[in-house]
Structure formats: C-alpha cells, structure tokens
C-alpha cells in the first residue's frame, strides 16, 4: 500500500514540476470550486428531502384524521338503535 501511495506521490510531483505556478493555482481553485459546488448541492438536496418528507407526513396525517372522523361517524350511525 505504501509503495502505491509513494508511486502516486512521485507522479504528482513529476506533474507539478511540468506545470507553471499559474496552472497549479488554477487547478487548485478549480478543485476547490468543484468540492464547494458538490457540498452545496448535497446540502440543498438534503434540505429539500427533509422538507418534502415533512410535507408528505403532514398531508398523510390530515388524511388519516379525516378518515378516522368519517369512520367514527359511520360506525356510530351503524350501531345506533333505529
């Protein structure tokens, strides 16, 4: 494992030796931008997921309440003496 990491590090150093400082800075800024955009997108997706789940839960609770009330009225009228 160490040998593989050392090979990767050696290759990165070899690439760095061929790149100008401007190119290295541009690559670093691009990498940081990609990480930032990915993090923001993941955060937005998580917030959206939680909000959607809360809306669905609220809607289902309303439907369950309405259904319960209707069933209660039906059962009360069905068991009432005529």
């Amino acid at each position: 494992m160490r040998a593989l990491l050392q090979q990767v590090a050696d290759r990165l150093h070899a690439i760095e030796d061929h790149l100008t400082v401007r190119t290295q800075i541009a690559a670093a800024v691009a990498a940081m931008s990609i990480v930032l955009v990915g993090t923001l997108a993941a955060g937005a997706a998580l917030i959206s997921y939680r909000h959607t789940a809360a809306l669905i839960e609220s809607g289902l609770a309303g439907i369950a309440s309405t259904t319960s009330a209707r069933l209660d009225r039906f059962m009360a009228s069905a068991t009432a003496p005529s």
Side-chain angles (χ1 to χ4, degrees), residues 62-80:
I63 291 170
S65 176
T66 303
T67 303
S68 173
R70 285 182 181 176
L71 182 61
D72 189 40
R73 284 194 306 269
F74 173 77
M75 295 299 289
S77 68
T79 58

Side-chain angles (χ1 to χ4, degrees), residues 5 8 11 22-24 30 37 52-56 59 67:
L5 290 175
V8 170
R11 286 187 182 186
R22 174 183 274 172
T23 307
Q24 290 179 15
V37 168
T52 303
L55 285 174
I56 291 171
T67 303

Side-chain angles (χ1 to χ4, degrees), residues 14-34:
I15 291 171
E16 286 177 351
D17 290 341
H18 294 292
L19 298 177
T20 64
V21 173
R22 174 183 274 172
T23 307
Q24 290 179 15
I25 291 172
V29 169
M32 288 188 303
S33 297
I34 290 171

